[in-house]
Amino acid sequence: MNIYSRILGTGSYFPEKVLTNMELENLVDTSDEWIRTRTGIVERRIADHESNSILGAKAAEKAIEMAGVDKDSIDGIIVATFTGDTIMPATACRIQNHLGIKNNCFAFDIAAACTGFIYAMSVADSMIKNNLAQRIIVIGSERISVTVDWKDRNTCILFGDGAGAVVLGKSEEPGMRSFHINADGSAHNLLTLEALGSDFLSNRYKTTIEENLIKMKGNEVFKIAVRAMADATARAVESSGLKYEDVDFFIPHQANLRIIEAAARRINLTNDKVIITLDKFGNTSAATIPTALDIAVRDGRINKGNNIVAAAFGGGLTWGSMLFTF
Ligand code: UT7
């Protein structure tokens, strides 16, 4: 008998406060038209008073409810994030506390920026296949708004806050079918958040937090992202044992509509098969894929048995993809 891991339930949570492109026009020299045509983003959510771990716990509660499992049957919590509540302890431990899971449950974070959810799913899948766990909650949770320089029009228009989660469980039927994860550390300086890292702290009397918020060489990241996302998407399909025509939906990382369209063209998918959420929520980094999955499951587009390919790209630089049967 083969052992697989399979998604048993999904959940997502966004803070209530909406920040529109029009409102950003009052903060920086930009326009609704520029943001829409260059990125596809119309509005994003901002967590004024909810911590990253609260966002993540709210998404996890919904995923546990959909899975219909007892929370005490969860063996582990893995959180993909670059905006954790604290550098130590892991945000996963705080989420474990919010969920009230007390015993026999490991909890740790994964740092792979926007690709974090795919990295975390590959780790959870391996742990289940190797009998280290039966059920793991995998969460992508971000509170990016507090790490953004609201005077930098190159970055502040892009990001939003939110969290998505899945319960991944042991299964006899195929669920997760292929993973492809990759990184190029020589490009580590193209997308950075240096504030409160140990390099920053060792230098903290000579610099300020304001000078060390998110920075991105957008155009350079864009060029690499277009190719890497398209290649990773094709590779996930080709190594899954399925054919291109078997793919029902594509869930791309939601950074830029032009990058998404290039990746979708590469696997010949029409627009109705691509799940898009960035118009409403912007780039929520590790949360884009699990939130988009949950939204499409709850609105009835994605159903049990559908084959889904997901791909992401982000700081590191990191990129990756996965193909699964829901
Ligand atoms: O999720 C993590 C991975 N991140 C990504 O994948 C992001 C990849 N990059 C992108 O999506 C795009 O590069 C951006 C949306 C960030 C920028 O779009 P672009 O078409 O690459 O613009 P650009 O950076 O080449 O800038 C073009 C012009 C510049 O003006 P000049 O130098 O031509 O006069 C910028 O200063 O647009 C200007 N610009 C803006 N104008 C109005 C940059 N940001 C803005 C803005 N509003 N918000």
Side-chain angles (χ1 to χ4, degrees):
M1 186 185 74
N2 285 324
I3 296 179
Y4 300 95
S5 76
R6 188 168 187 146
I7 294 174
L8 308 178
T10 65
S12 60
Y13 179 78
F14 291 97
E16 260 176 41
K17 183 175 169 183
V18 175
L19 178 65
T20 64
N21 290 350
M22 310 278 193
E23 290 170 284
L24 282 167
E25 289 178 3
N26 300 323
L27 289 181
V28 285
D29 180 15
T30 191
S31 66
D32 175 47
E33 205 258 331
W34 191 97
I35 302 171
R36 276 177 201 251
T37 53
R38 294 290 180 124
T39 69
I41 300 166
V42 179
E43 58 188 44
R44 69 288 290 141
R45 298 297 179 90
I46 303 294
D48 271 344
H49 57 275
E50 289 163 307
S51 65
N52 180 319
S53 63
I54 291 288
L55 304 178
K58 288 189 172 175
E61 273 166 2
K62 293 182 186 174
I64 293 168
E65 193 190 346
M66 186 192 287
V69 300
D70 183 343
K71 69 178 183 224
D72 289 320
S73 71
I74 303 293
D75 301 312
I77 301 170
I78 307 179
V79 177
T81 188
F82 79 93
T83 56
D85 292 0
T86 51
I87 288 185
M88 190 267 290
T91 294
C93 296
R94 288 189 158 204
I95 291 178
Q96 179 191 17
N97 185 46
H98 295 319
L99 295 174
I101 301 175
K102 292 220 162 73
N103 296 315
N104 301 317
C105 178
F106 60 81
F108 62 92
D109 292 355
I110 281 190
C114 301
T115 320
F117 186 74
I118 289 177
Y119 270 62
M121 287 291 282
S122 75
V123 172
D125 173 68
S126 303
M127 293 184 86
I128 288 172
K129 284 188 179 142
N130 285 297
N131 271 319
L132 289 167
Q134 304 266 336
R135 281 180 191 152
I136 301 175
I137 304 182
V138 185
I139 302 169
S141 186
E142 301 283 12
R143 190 181 184 192
I144 308 177
S145 59
V146 293
T147 69
V148 158
D149 178 355
W150 291 102
K151 293 188 285 303
D152 178 10
R153 70 175 182 174
N154 291 298
T155 52
C156 76
I157 55 131
L158 300 171
F159 298 103
D161 301 332
V166 303
V167 178
L168 195 68
K170 187 174 277 190
S171 162
E172 288 172 21
E173 294 164 54
M176 305 312 297
R177 290 178 181 267
S178 71
F179 285 98
H180 166 60
I181 53 175
N182 212 335
D184 177 5
S186 70
H188 66 92
N189 60 346
L190 295 185
L191 177 48
T192 56
L193 170 59
E194 299 190 0
L196 304 182
S198 56
D199 275 4
F200 168 86
L201 291 170
S202 71
N203 206 27
R204 66 186 181 275
Y205 302 113
K206 297 184 209 125
T207 184
T208 63
I209 288 176
E210 286 300 314
E211 285 170 86
N212 291 276
L213 296 170
I214 289 188
K215 290 194 183 73
M216 178 165 70
K217 294 185 177 131
N219 201 265
E220 287 176 56
V221 175
F222 184 93
K223 286 182 203 146
I224 304 172
V226 168
R227 202 196 59 241
M229 278 269 291
D231 286 353
T233 308
R235 210 163 146 172
V237 180
E238 282 158 19
S239 59
S240 69
L242 299 181
K243 302 192 192 78
Y244 280 94
E245 53 269 32
D246 297 327
V247 176
D248 297 302
F249 290 100
F250 175 37
I251 304 185
H253 171 49
Q254 314 277 320
N256 189 307
L257 202 51
R258 291 176 288 151
I259 299 175
I260 292 172
E261 284 167 354
R265 273 198 300 277
R266 175 72 176 271
I267 56 165
N268 290 324
L269 275 185
T270 50
N271 286 347
D272 57 318
K273 304 282 179 159
V274 183
I275 310 293
I276 303 286
T277 59
L278 95 164
D279 51 339
K280 282 207 162 87
F281 302 111
N283 181 348
T284 57
S285 188
T288 60
I289 290 174
T291 51
L293 171 64
D294 182 57
I295 287 167
V297 167
R298 287 177 194 265
D299 71 19
R301 271 176 293 173
I302 291 182
N303 288 290
K304 196 164 160 43
N306 284 158
N307 295 316
I308 295 149
V309 62
F313 186 88
L317 295 177
T318 57
W319 60 96
S321 56
M322 60 187 183
L323 191 143
F324 59 98
T325 303
F326 183 69

